[in-house]
Amino acid sequence: KQMSKRRILFLLELMLVICFSGCGSKKETGGEKVTKGSDLSEFVKVDELHSTDAKFYKGKVVTGVDGYLTLLSADGKIEKKYDGIKVNWVDTIEEENILVYGNFEHETGIVKFDDNQEVISNEIIMQSQNLQIDPTISLIDGVYYMTVTEIIGNVNRANEDEENGEYILHFYSSEDLKNWTFISDITDDRHNIEDVDIINDGNDIYAVYEKEELDKGNSAIILKKSEDKGQTWSGEIELLPAEADQEPAVFCKKGNEFVLYYSSDILNKGESYMGAAIYYAIYDSEFNIIKKNQAVASETPKGILLYDILKADGYSYMLYAQDYLTTNDLIIERVDNSLLSE
């Protein structure tokens, strides 16, 4: 994380073949989320998993395999497969045992787990005639907030001869996870809007997303800020200019600074995911850039699509797809915390 370009492209290619960062941003406060006692290995490679999205969850990984919600153990083995839950995009609140998902059936649903990752409830809370992608969920001051990106018309414009669809990033609230109230639209755009992340720093809410003209083309990473719990939003603040194909993964606050983790083909322009590596950028409290394109050393030199980053047991773990458009392996890689930021 629209139909997100990476997910749509993979689906189309598959059809043709077959026929939070070092910050570990916590959803409630935007502070550090540290998982202790995990069994995550130093390097895990799941060959040809062909997942379309993935997130860390309780020292494990939640993802979609063959279109259904799947829980992977710390060593990359399938631990549980929830055959009745169709999933293509996921987001979680670990502390609440909650997962929100979207799928190609135009459904947005919420799963409530018990402490053993068994499903307590699974409810479809939204269904539309239009595709709804990249849902996010957060808990702020005892209220749940959710975003869903609706696409009206053409999905994922791939060339200049096509007319782009309308991408609308909706913002909702709920006190019980069942009854949702529409609050506002964060953005309404004729660009591909993808890979949304929402955080709260105790005062304000921040929405970060990718904005691009053409699929796999150069893309900007944009921030919008709300000081009134999503009733109104600031104008666009450009965190990164459209100088490469850039996929935001995690945005968080560290002290008085903000950190953005993303994958980018900045050194292999035009190759998109297949040429991308992992980077971070640092901003001051007014979002002036301090540093950008700070490379993170990885055993995978390129071909990275970054999904998530987690702190656990004194290390940082990066979750990403390798060579998304071909083998699409899922990788968990452990690095020293000092490699992810200063």
Side-chain angles (χ1 to χ4, degrees):
K1 309 191 331 189
Q2 39 235 116
M3 199 184 314
S4 176
K5 65 188 175 203
R6 60 183 185 251
R7 291 137 194 168
I8 293 177
L9 282 172
F10 171 69
L11 180 65
L12 292 175
E13 291 196 13
L14 183 61
M15 290 171 66
L16 289 172
V17 171
I18 296 175
C19 67
F20 196 27
S21 75
C23 304
S25 58
K26 183 180 176 184
K27 290 287 181 176
E28 185 170 7
T29 65
E32 279 200 337
K33 177 180 72 176
V34 178
T35 298
K36 295 183 178 180
S38 76
D39 295 319
L40 290 167
S41 302
E42 183 175 348
F43 190 88
V44 173
K45 181 178 181 180
V46 187
D47 291 333
E48 298 188 36
L49 187 65
H50 294 299
S51 173
T52 52
D53 194 12
K55 295 291 188 298
F56 285 117
Y57 182 77
K58 307 264 180 162
K60 305 175 190 291
V61 172
V62 288
T63 186
V65 177
D66 299 324
Y68 290 93
L69 180 63
T70 303
L71 181 72
L72 302 180
S73 62
D75 60 359
K77 306 297 183 183
I78 292 180
E79 187 167 304
K80 294 180 181 179
K81 195 165 184 180
Y82 309 91
D83 290 332
I85 305 175
K86 295 182 178 181
V87 161
N88 298 99
W89 304 277
V90 295
D91 194 26
T92 68
I93 307 178
E94 289 190 7
E95 297 80 5
E96 298 286 309
N97 290 345
I98 290 169
L99 176 143
V100 64
Y101 64 88
N103 59 39
F104 291 132
E105 306 295 321
H106 301 188
E107 297 172 332
T108 302
I110 291 181
V111 172
K112 179 77 172 178
F113 294 109
D114 64 17
D115 290 334
N116 296 313
Q117 287 78 55
E118 297 294 342
V119 174
I120 297 174
S121 63
N122 170 39
E123 295 194 33
I124 302 300
I125 56 172
M126 293 182 191
Q127 192 164 24
S128 171
Q129 292 182 340
N130 302 310
L131 186 65
Q132 299 185 120
I133 61 173
D134 279 354
T136 73
I137 191 163
S138 305
L139 179 63
I140 303 171
D141 296 333
V143 177
Y144 296 100
Y145 293 93
M146 182 177 67
T147 69
V148 177
T149 307
E150 179 182 15
I151 308 173
I152 302 173
N154 188 31
V155 174
N156 216 31
R157 179 180 181 229
N159 64 71
E160 295 179 351
D161 295 329
E162 298 177 343
E163 179 181 359
N164 210 345
E166 181 181 10
Y167 284 66
I168 310 172
L169 181 53
H170 303 301
F171 192 69
Y172 302 90
S173 69
S174 175
E175 295 185 356
D176 59 9
L177 294 175
K178 296 180 180 180
N179 301 293
W180 290 87
T181 301
F182 171 76
I183 299 177
S184 65
D185 288 333
I186 299 173
T187 190
D188 184 340
D189 208 307
R190 289 280 177 174
H191 290 76
N192 300 340
I193 301 297
E194 306 176 344
D195 303 323
V196 181
D197 194 18
I198 299 286
I199 71 164
N200 168 255
D201 66 358
N203 296 304
D204 304 318
I205 300 175
Y206 306 92
V208 174
Y209 53 88
E210 179 188 11
K211 175 180 177 179
E212 67 180 354
E213 290 256 358
L214 296 174
D215 178 42
K216 294 201 298 182
N218 290 351
S219 56
I221 297 182
I222 300 297
L223 177 140
K224 282 195 167 188
K225 174 182 175 181
S226 176
E227 299 177 348
D228 53 12
K229 295 296 191 290
Q231 299 292 328
T232 60
W233 296 86
S234 70
E236 292 186 350
I237 299 170
E238 188 177 78
L239 295 179
L240 291 177
E243 60 186 1
D245 189 13
Q246 301 167 131
E247 316 288 329
V250 176
F251 182 71
C252 64
K253 192 172 185 179
K254 292 185 70 176
N256 293 321
E257 295 178 341
F258 292 88
V259 182
L260 172 69
Y261 291 87
Y262 56 101
S263 46
S264 171
D265 69 350
I266 188 72
L267 294 182
N268 301 284
K269 291 186 180 183
E271 295 185 27
S272 191
Y273 327 118
M274 304 299 285
I278 299 174
Y279 301 89
Y280 67 89
I282 302 175
Y283 305 85
D284 66 19
S285 60
E286 300 299 320
F287 306 109
N288 298 303
I289 194 159
I290 298 172
K291 290 186 176 181
K292 71 173 183 178
N293 297 334
Q294 301 295 299
V296 178
S298 169
E299 292 190 29
T300 306
K302 71 172 189 174
I304 290 176
L305 176 58
L306 183 62
Y307 289 137
D308 202 5
I309 292 179
L310 169 72
K311 276 190 174 182
D313 301 327
Y315 293 94
S316 292
Y317 294 84
M318 306 185 297
L319 178 64
Y320 57 88
Q322 181 180 5
D323 295 336
Y324 183 86
L325 298 179
T326 54
T327 56
N328 196 351
D329 303 323
L330 188 71
I331 308 291
I332 302 170
E333 181 178 355
R334 189 180 78 183
V335 296
D336 187 272
N337 285 331
S338 64
L339 295 178
L340 266 78
S341 62
E342 297 179 351

